[in-house]
Amino acid sequence: MSNFIAEQLSEHPIFKGLPFITLNDMIDCASEKIFSRGSTIFLEGEDANYFYLILSGAVDLSLHTHNKGPIAIQSLHNGDILGWSWLFSPFVWHFDALAREKTNTIRIDGKCIRKLCKDNPELGYELMNRFSKVMLDRLNATRLQLVDIYG
Amino acid sequence: MQLGYNWLIYMDNDSNSIMAFNRHSPLIPGIFEVKSKSKETHDTWSIVLNNKEPCRVETFNPGQFNMLYAYGTGEIPISISGDCSNQKYIVHTIRDVGKVSHALCNLKSGDQVGVRGPFGTTWPMDQLKGKDVVIIGGGIGLAPIRPVIFHILENRDDYNRVAIAYGARAPEEMLYPTQIMDWRSHLDMQVRVTVDSASPKWHGQVGVVTTLIPRLNFNPDNTAALVCGPEIMIRFAVKELISNGINPDEIWVSMERNMKCGIGLSGHCQMGSMFVCKDGPVFNYMDVERYFRIKEL
Ligand SMILES: Cc1cc2nc3c(=O)[nH]c(=O)nc-3n(C[C@H](O)[C@H](O)[C@H](O)COP(=O)(O)OP(=O)(O)OC[C@H]3O[C@@H](n4cnc5c(N)ncnc54)[C@H](O)[C@@H]3O)c2cc1C
Ligand code: FES
């Protein structure tokens, strides 16, 4: 078990304050993963088996369009969480994710976390709550992008 | 009718009324010449104006605006976007959105333009001294706030940490890209830019301007924030600033309303009990907070 991973998980807002024993189980679902600049983290339509805590670097979420090619729609940075499609059936990615810079992450196995949540509904509820907050913030930001607030 | 050099006579065709104005009246435009013009984006131009009547030069400060009169077309309020320490020329950045702004954007070097002003309140440069300063601009809203950045750069020691966050629809719609690069090269200034969407050629941030705020480095207990852009952007930027710990009465915003006289006479720009032309356009957020919650004001 890596002390580094344990430290990162226990300090990250999405996991902060969870019981020690639960965090310990989660550490077994996590590994360090580094993406070089320009590399693909995942592609639209692929199985969404993981999510990532971004420790440093920058990731662009983008959509491929027929007439304009890839269009970046959101950037994520250190402290951000990348991916929640692992939470919901059919567990596939809806966007492409590309490392804009060299990006250090903690990669967390979604299946492994889903199993922990199934075995421990209290944890499942707590994590759902926390992820919903992240999703709500992103949804609000996306709504503002749609409104064209610089009009 | 001859009333002497300092008087001008205006005859209103519709009402057959005759009005006499002093040449120095704020209702009479001074004649300025377009010294130069530069394209900022596909629909936005900056023009540099040279005063043809030196007696009409008044000092202008960051945040103020002029009423620009395109001869034969009409008059609109446009903020001063240049460096206010250079009082010889006035710089305006204009987005072509309609009749008058279109005429102004089509002026050529040497053309004349009528200018009344400067009008309105200024960004509170003195009150910002000793504080961290956060500047948020969106779209054309970088233009009215750019004089603040010039002022800070010229008086850098007066201010603590400085952070600029600017959002635009797309990379090609960003104002002053070269200047932004220059500001970025200042090691004592954080400059972050974001666009709503971009092709792979863009290597910067993508997302709405509010998402930049939590990433800026400031001490919320000693920070003042200045926000300029469309009202909807101001609303959400202010919300984010407050949720990041900035005191609402340390936030200033620049408001826009349709204008006519520019000096508090016509009532065109009324916002509750205030006139945007005279009591604004720069307001402390606490003075206008309630108007952000009222629809159709
Ligand atoms: C204090 C103040 C400072 C301003 N500073 C600047 C500036 O530095 N640069 C600049 O380009 N503009 C600025 N504006 C906005 C500018 O005055 C308007 O864009 C202009 O009045 C439009 O007139 P028009 O005849 O070109 O368009 P109109 O024919 O009157 O309108 C054409 C279209 O533009 C829209 N429109 C009109 N006014 C605005 C507005 N204020 N904001 C957004 N859309 C509008 C109308 O709804 C319409 O759809 C400022 C406004 C104020 C009140
Ligand atoms: S424009 Fe006439 S009162 Fe403000």
Side-chain angles (χ1 to χ4, degrees):
Chain A
M1 185 206 308
S2 147
N3 278 341
F4 176 73
I5 293 180
E7 204 176 292
Q8 294 298 326
L9 291 194
S10 60
E11 284 303 313
H12 196 281
I14 203 87
F15 298 125
K16 203 170 184 160
L18 290 179
F20 178 71
I21 189 155
T22 313
L23 275 173
N24 248 357
D25 289 340
M26 285 187 169
I27 289 162
D28 294 337
C29 307
S31 57
E32 277 184 78
K33 179 91 184 153
I34 298 170
F35 295 94
S36 58
R37 184 177 172 196
S39 62
T40 302
I41 302 174
F42 53 74
L43 290 173
E44 182 183 353
E46 285 180 353
D47 289 345
N49 294 325
Y50 301 99
F51 67 101
Y52 303 83
L53 308 185
I54 302 175
L55 306 181
S56 66
V59 175
D60 282 340
L61 288 179
S62 61
L63 260 178
H64 205 280
T65 60
H66 284 296
N67 48 351
K68 292 185 188 161
I71 305 262
I73 45 159
Q74 190 167 49
S75 308
L76 301 173
H77 300 267
N78 58 312
D80 286 335
I81 288 182
L82 169 64
W84 48 65
S85 296
W86 62 277
L87 262 172
F88 305 104
S89 169
F91 310 115
V92 292
W93 296 118
H94 298 286
F95 298 102
D96 299 344
L98 302 167
R100 180 163 21 106
E101 301 164 9
K102 181 185 171 206
T103 300
N104 294 317
T105 69
I106 304 274
R107 184 173 77 169
I108 300 172
D109 184 333
K111 258 192 209 151
C112 178
I113 296 285
R114 284 205 304 267
K115 180 169 183 318
L116 289 179
C117 292
K118 207 167 178 186
D119 296 346
N120 178 356
E122 216 171 297
L123 168 70
Y125 178 76
E126 186 57 37
L127 275 188
M128 267 300 181
N129 254 339
R130 295 178 183 207
F131 269 93
S132 305
K133 169 79 176 72
V134 176
M135 288 193 282
L136 183 68
D137 288 347
R138 299 261 177 94
L139 174 65
N140 283 339
T142 310
R143 280 177 174 154
L144 287 184
Q145 265 167 284
L146 288 175
V147 170
D148 180 18
I149 60 169
Y150 312 120
Chain B
M1 200 189 306
Q2 190 62 42
L3 288 174
Y5 173 79
N6 281 332
W7 290 87
L8 295 173
I9 305 301
Y10 273 68
M11 190 180 280
D12 180 338
N13 284 340
D14 298 334
S15 61
N16 283 330
S17 60
I18 293 176
M19 290 170 281
F21 290 112
N22 188 293
R23 188 178 286 274
H24 300 293
S25 156
L27 289 168
I28 302 298
I31 301 167
F32 282 60
E33 189 180 78
V34 178
K35 183 175 166 280
S36 60
K37 181 184 172 188
S38 51
K39 190 171 185 170
E40 302 292 357
T41 71
H42 69 101
D43 64 354
T44 304
W45 296 80
S46 286
I47 53 174
V48 179
L49 300 179
N50 196 0
N51 197 347
K52 299 270 288 178
E53 296 172 282
C55 61
R56 296 205 43 122
V57 174
E58 282 181 44
T59 36
F60 47 90
N61 289 298
Q64 290 192 296
F65 67 95
N66 282 316
M67 296 297 292
L68 298 190
Y69 179 49
Y71 289 111
T73 310
E75 193 184 40
I76 54 170
I78 298 290
S79 299
I80 289 160
S81 68
D83 184 349
C84 295
S85 72
N86 179 356
Q87 297 270 326
K88 198 161 173 235
Y89 301 112
I90 305 179
V91 183
H92 288 289
T93 303
I94 307 161
R95 181 188 265 175
D96 179 351
V97 296
K99 204 168 54 126
V100 183
S101 53
H102 182 71
L104 291 169
C105 285
N106 276 298
L107 291 170
K108 297 183 292 298
S109 290
D111 283 351
Q112 291 190 346
V113 61
V115 178
R116 293 193 295 120
F119 297 135
T121 52
T122 64
W123 296 106
M125 299 316 300
D126 281 344
Q127 285 180 68
L128 306 183
K129 284 182 181 167
K131 292 183 182 159
D132 290 356
V133 182
V134 172
I135 296 167
I136 315 284
I140 188 78
L142 186 59
I145 219 162
R146 185 170 67 155
V148 170
I149 302 170
F150 289 132
H151 180 94
I152 290 177
L153 286 172
E154 280 151 24
N155 302 274
R156 190 62 192 88
D157 290 346
D158 288 349
Y159 305 94
N160 217 12
R161 276 176 288 196
V162 176
I164 301 167
Y166 176 50
R169 261 187 218 142
E172 59 280 10
E173 301 221 0
M174 270 171 52
L175 291 184
Y176 321 128
T178 321
Q179 205 149 41
I180 290 174
M181 296 285 278
D182 176 51
W183 297 336
R184 272 199 166 149
S185 68
H186 289 253
L187 294 175
D188 57 356
M189 217 156 76
Q190 310 160 62
V191 181
R192 292 188 188 248
V193 174
T194 187
V195 295
D196 275 349
S197 64
S199 72
K201 278 191 221 143
W202 170 252
H203 296 291
Q205 165 89 11
V206 180
V208 74
V209 71
T210 50
T211 60
L212 297 177
I213 295 170
R215 302 189 171 279
L216 301 175
N217 189 11
F218 56 83
N219 166 13
D221 296 333
N222 184 37
T223 296
L226 314 179
V227 188
C228 190
E231 218 155 291
I232 181 154
M233 188 217 87
I234 296 181
R235 205 168 95 203
F236 285 96
V238 166
K239 205 165 146 195
E240 192 64 34
L241 289 165
I242 294 172
S243 74
N244 279 271
I246 298 187
N247 203 328
D249 59 19
E250 289 289 353
I251 299 174
W252 279 265
V253 299
S254 182
M255 303 289 284
E256 282 192 13
R257 287 291 181 274
N258 284 340
M259 289 187 180
K260 192 131 191 140
C261 66
I263 52 169
L265 291 178
S266 66
H268 250 76
C269 64
Q270 193 156 6
M271 197 173 63
S273 60
M274 294 182 289
F275 294 124
V276 173
C277 65
K278 186 167 65 74
D279 304 310
V282 176
F283 291 93
N284 184 277
Y285 175 67
M286 291 311 286
D287 294 331
V288 289
E289 182 253 344
R290 60 189 178 283
Y291 302 115
F292 282 95
R293 287 183 270 122
I294 302 173
K295 293 189 176 69
E296 299 295 328
L297 192 84

